[in-house]
Amino acid sequence: MSWISTLAPWQWAIFAVVPIGIILLYFLKLRREPIEIPSTYLWSRTVEDLHVNSLFQRIRNNLLLLLQLLAVLLAALALLRPGQQGETSGLGRKVFLLDASASMMTEDVEQENRFAMAKLMIREQIDQMEDQDTAMLITFSDRAEVLQSFTSDRGRLRAALDRAQVTNRPTDIIGALEAADGLANPRRSSEAGDVNDIQVADPLPADLLIFSDGGFRDVADFNVGNLVPTYLKIGSDSPRNVGITAFSADRNVERPGDAQAFATVVNFGKDAETFNVSLYVDGQWRDAEAVTLEPDEEGSLTFALSDQGEAATLEARLESDDGDQGFSDDFSIDNFAYAGLRPLRTVSVLVITQGNRPLELGLTTESAAKICVADFQPPSYMESPEYTARATAGLDDLIIYDRCQPKTLPLTNTFFVAALPNADWSWASEPGQTILVDIDRTHPMMQYLELFSLLIFEGRSVTGPVGTRELVGADNGTVLALAPRDGYQDLVLGFAIVTNSDDGIPQTNTNWFAERSWPVFLLNVLRHLAGAADATNAASFLPGDTVRLRVESQIGEVQIARGSGTAETIPTGQSGTVEFVDSEMPGNYRVMADEKLVDLFAINLFSRMESQINPRSEFEIGYEKIETSGTMETRYEFWRWLLLLLLVVLALEWWLYNKRIA
């Protein structure tokens, strides 16, 4: 038998006055008015009421007083919450990990959703804590939040639980595990093996109660140490869900008036589903396609859009095939997806060269001219104030340095041909004939390229800073590399397209300019390094992501709003950079400046792990298999029976009192 007090000490002091007051009421003397009567024979019972001077006689003969004191005693016992603990671990410390990711909004449980069910289960655990027990509460989605550190105050734990909110974000449990591990497994003050090393704190074992549907990846590199994990699975075993896992739109660069929208839909349930996928453009219905998917089947759809020259917001919706607007399943957030077509614009490219006819022809083809404006200048232009202003303000989307190098790198993306950007780069080989041996076809700038037939008379391999990616490899090392630089990218080619003889006559160094891959490569550079591709389809981000955009540098501030909602004003940073953090809600977001649309972006869940809402029965933490627990630590309480007995006593007291009065 154990007890859990529900009152504070000062409240118990007030409660202790109640039985004393009941006893005193029985001995309060009534003020009686003296009345002369001719005889006491008829007033014998009244006279008996005056014989109340004996304390023990009064207690001995008054059943009502005993019943009232018994009622007070039962109330006190009920407030002490007597009970018996079952399946207790004996650790006395609990860490509640509450999954607050998007999948916890699944409506396949008795409560409002899985998150509400998990909160109810945690509240029951808090209510059953004993006075010496301590607990903490951590919520996690793609990041962890400690809502309440270790405390024995059940009121603070309940208040923290009330503050917990479900999110639209994907799941990552590692942050929550590290937060719990920091207390249960304190680290040492220095390196292992040091004889002077001391333990900074004693280990504090704790029960780790994970309330989740298991919609996260296994955690391999983690040691539970003094944590004793228990997985409380939330959700039914046969949920129903069809979700849109991908949705995008792309404009045809050669025919800007035409565009296409692409959607991928997956049936994550255990039964076949029939539904419609409808496309809305700027809020207006445009097209729909009926789809039937078997369990675990995936379907792809393409919608053609014509006369779509202006910017547009697109939305894909799952709708019922019986004509109703909505499609009902247990997880609704992935029934909608968003994309957009950005305003048409061309990119600005500055070319610094002493003469490169193949480069000039490649940047002025019909396809390239539709998406870029190229400005060719000699190397001496880098000494002019105009160049300095353009480079420091980042006015150009791309600067190409052909066989030359600036003193300071510009605040924009660059492409160096047979030159190095700065001291972070170096030549890794001596000049010589170069044979290409490898191409990174996964990078978009390398798409549709066949380069193994190229002849390169003189080339050198390059080495870049940390994070450099090899795009083309040769027999002497990397000859085409891409590296990040403070938000920008530098592309370096290790061989020249044309060179100059000793007498200044241009001569070719490769046959690349005569191959079909040359204009294709330059077009890829314009689209993916200068940003021409970004000028067509709007970027998509996950809920909760920090959205980073780039607008024209002369714009001082922008207004960003979801749909037709209230706009948030954000000042632009250096070179027109914009950071937006209020990205919790999925939808299309419009970026405005002076009532003009300057950009679009979308927020989508697009997580197969979240859309796969069938709860897992087990997962691994640190190569330890954690299986779902059928039961939780349960306390069997008896205070409800005491309250029922109290009601019986009060009813008996009321009956006797009325009988005596009668």
Side-chain angles (χ1 to χ4, degrees):
M1 180 72 70
S2 58
W3 310 82
I4 300 178
S5 176
T6 58
L7 297 181
W10 65 270
Q11 293 172 322
W12 279 113
I14 296 175
F15 186 85
V17 178
V18 175
I20 299 174
I22 293 176
I23 295 175
L24 291 178
L25 286 175
Y26 275 80
F27 298 100
L28 290 178
K29 291 185 177 181
L30 299 176
R31 286 189 177 183
R32 297 181 174 86
E33 296 183 5
I35 301 175
E36 294 184 1
I37 57 175
S39 172
T40 63
Y41 177 76
L42 298 175
W43 297 83
S44 58
R45 292 189 60 184
T46 303
V47 173
E48 287 295 324
D49 288 342
L50 299 176
H51 301 160
V52 293
N53 296 326
S54 174
L55 173 62
F56 296 102
Q57 174 186 346
R58 186 60 183 267
I59 295 178
R60 202 167 44 240
N61 296 332
N62 199 310
L63 181 59
L64 290 179
L65 174 60
L66 295 177
L67 290 176
Q68 291 168 355
L69 293 178
L70 178 59
V72 174
L73 176 61
L74 291 174
L77 291 175
L79 290 173
L80 285 172
R81 289 182 60 190
Q84 182 176 0
Q85 197 78 7
E87 298 185 18
T88 178
S89 67
L91 297 179
R93 302 174 66 82
K94 294 184 177 68
V95 179
F96 300 123
L97 293 193
L98 174 57
D99 189 347
S101 63
S103 63
M104 294 296 284
M105 288 189 285
T106 304
E107 301 173 357
D108 63 337
V109 291
E110 297 177 356
Q111 299 297 314
E112 177 185 356
N113 50 39
R114 292 178 178 179
F115 188 74
M117 173 65 75
K119 290 180 66 173
L120 178 62
M121 295 171 65
I122 294 177
R123 184 174 294 276
E124 291 176 353
Q125 288 287 297
I126 295 174
D127 292 341
Q128 295 171 8
M129 287 174 55
E130 299 186 5
D131 290 340
Q132 69 273 18
D133 292 344
T134 58
M136 71 183 302
L137 176 62
I138 303 174
T139 61
F140 66 94
S141 52
D142 61 342
R143 64 205 69 176
E145 181 180 4
V146 179
L147 293 184
Q148 177 60 55
S149 57
F150 270 115
T151 180
S152 58
D153 188 336
R154 290 186 292 272
R156 295 176 63 182
L157 287 168
R158 295 188 191 99
L161 185 62
D162 291 337
R163 295 196 306 271
Q165 299 291 330
V166 68
T167 69
N168 295 315
R169 302 174 182 176
T171 319
D172 186 0
I173 196 176
I174 184 62
L177 292 174
E178 290 175 346
D181 175 67
L183 181 63
N185 306 311
R187 298 299 180 260
R188 305 187 73 84
S189 61
S190 62
E191 295 182 0
D194 189 346
V195 295
N196 297 318
D197 188 15
I198 60 173
Q199 188 74 31
V200 296
D202 293 331
L204 300 174
D207 288 312
L208 183 67
L209 303 181
I210 304 172
F211 296 82
S212 173
D213 54 15
F216 48 81
R217 300 185 185 278
D218 293 337
V219 182
D221 189 16
F222 184 82
N223 182 14
V224 295
N226 290 313
L227 296 173
V228 182
T230 301
Y231 171 40
L232 288 311
K233 185 178 71 173
I234 312 295
S236 66
D237 292 328
S238 299
R240 176 171 171 255
N241 183 43
V242 177
I244 304 174
T245 59
F247 181 55
S248 62
D250 197 5
R251 200 188 300 275
N252 190 319
V253 177
E254 297 184 358
R255 296 189 299 275
D258 296 340
Q260 287 182 314
F262 310 93
T264 301
V265 187
V266 181
N267 180 9
F268 295 97
K270 296 183 178 181
D271 298 315
E273 298 283 358
T274 300
F275 51 90
N276 292 333
V277 180
S278 297
L279 176 68
Y280 291 79
V281 179
D282 292 330
Q284 302 296 318
W285 183 90
R286 178 66 66 90
D287 197 0
E289 186 171 337
V291 179
T292 298
L293 294 178
E294 297 297 323
D296 299 323
E297 185 181 0
E298 177 181 307
S300 298
L301 301 94
T302 301
F303 298 95
L305 302 173
S306 58
D307 300 327
Q308 203 62 55
E310 299 298 326
T313 58
L314 284 70
E315 179 181 356
R317 302 180 191 173
L318 301 186
E319 297 182 342
S320 175
D321 61 338
D322 56 8
D324 294 339
Q325 285 290 317
F327 177 77
S328 177
D329 57 14
D330 293 327
F331 188 56
S332 60
I333 187 174
D334 59 2
N335 293 348
F336 305 86
Y338 307 90
L341 295 170
R342 284 174 165 170
L344 285 174
R345 71 179 181 92
T346 57
V347 295
S348 173
V349 178
L350 173 62
V351 183
I352 307 295
T353 179
Q354 53 187 309
N356 192 327
R357 185 62 176 170
L359 184 60
E360 182 179 351
L361 291 175
L363 292 176
T364 55
T365 62
E366 182 180 358
S367 298
K370 291 180 179 179
I371 61 175
C372 88
V373 175
D375 181 15
F376 290 83
Q377 297 290 344
S380 59
Y381 180 72
M382 292 188 291
E383 304 297 331
S384 67
E386 182 181 353
Y387 166 81
T388 303
R390 293 173 67 168
T392 55
L395 299 182
D396 296 292
D397 299 291
L398 175 67
I399 298 181
I400 300 177
Y401 297 94
D402 178 31
R403 294 167 290 161
C404 60
Q405 181 186 48
K407 296 179 180 179
T408 304
L409 286 174
L411 299 180
T412 188
N413 294 338
T414 63
F415 178 22
F416 285 82
V417 179
L420 299 177
N422 54 23
D424 293 334
W425 292 78
S426 62
W427 297 113
S429 68
E430 296 297 325
Q433 186 174 2
T434 302
I435 300 176
L436 304 185
V437 296
D438 188 29
I439 299 175
D440 183 0
R441 300 187 183 277
T442 63
H443 196 278
M445 279 193 293
M446 296 292 103
Q447 291 180 347
Y448 317 118
L449 297 182
E450 291 296 338
L451 304 179
F452 295 117
S453 61
L454 298 189
L455 298 176
I456 303 171
F457 300 110
E458 185 177 282
R460 304 173 72 179
S461 61
V462 299
T463 301
V466 176
T468 300
R469 179 174 179 176
E470 179 187 281
L471 300 183
V472 178
D475 57 345
N476 57 357
T478 302
V479 294
L480 182 62
L482 182 68
R485 169 181 52 90
D486 298 331
Y488 305 106
Q489 296 185 90
D490 299 317
L491 180 66
V492 178
L493 181 64
F495 59 90
I497 307 301
V498 296
T499 60
N500 291 336
S501 62
D502 295 337
D503 54 3
I505 299 176
Q507 57 186 16
T508 59
N509 185 51
T510 175
N511 66 337
W512 195 4
F513 66 89
E515 300 286 334
R516 296 179 57 183
S517 60
W518 173 246
V520 175
F521 170 71
L522 290 180
L523 194 61
N524 287 344
V525 170
L526 293 177
R527 298 191 66 182
H528 301 288
L529 191 60
D534 293 338
T536 60
N537 59 307
S540 179
F541 301 88
L542 290 172
D545 280 355
T546 297
V547 178
R548 292 179 174 86
L549 306 171
R550 187 178 178 189
V551 297
E552 297 179 10
S553 57
Q554 61 266 30
I555 298 177
E557 62 181 23
V558 296
Q559 294 77 41
I560 299 180
R562 176 177 175 268
S564 58
T566 303
E568 177 182 349
T569 300
I570 300 176
T572 58
Q574 192 177 34
S575 303
T577 57
V578 177
E579 289 193 357
F580 179 72
V581 297
D582 189 16
S583 59
E584 182 68 28
M585 294 299 297
N588 280 307
Y589 289 74
R590 304 173 69 89
V591 183
M592 309 289 293
D594 298 327
E595 299 184 356
K596 177 184 177 182
L597 180 66
V598 295
D599 207 348
L600 292 169
F601 65 91
I603 302 295
N604 291 289
L605 179 60
F606 290 165
S607 172
R608 288 177 179 258
M609 187 164 289
E610 295 300 313
S611 294
Q612 179 57 269
I613 59 175
N614 190 31
R616 285 204 290 173
S617 298
E618 62 182 29
F619 53 85
E620 289 187 1
I621 297 180
Y623 302 106
E624 177 181 345
K625 184 176 294 185
I626 311 299
E627 297 182 351
T628 181
S629 175
T631 59
M632 289 192 305
E633 179 182 320
T634 305
R635 174 183 167 85
Y636 303 96
E637 298 193 348
F638 308 129
W639 60 271
R640 294 179 178 86
W641 296 103
L642 291 174
L643 288 181
L644 181 60
L645 182 58
L646 172 61
L647 293 176
V648 174
V649 171
L650 290 177
L652 179 61
E653 191 269 347
W654 177 82
W655 179 77
L656 289 174
Y657 176 79
N658 283 277
K659 182 178 180 181
R660 291 187 62 179
I661 293 297

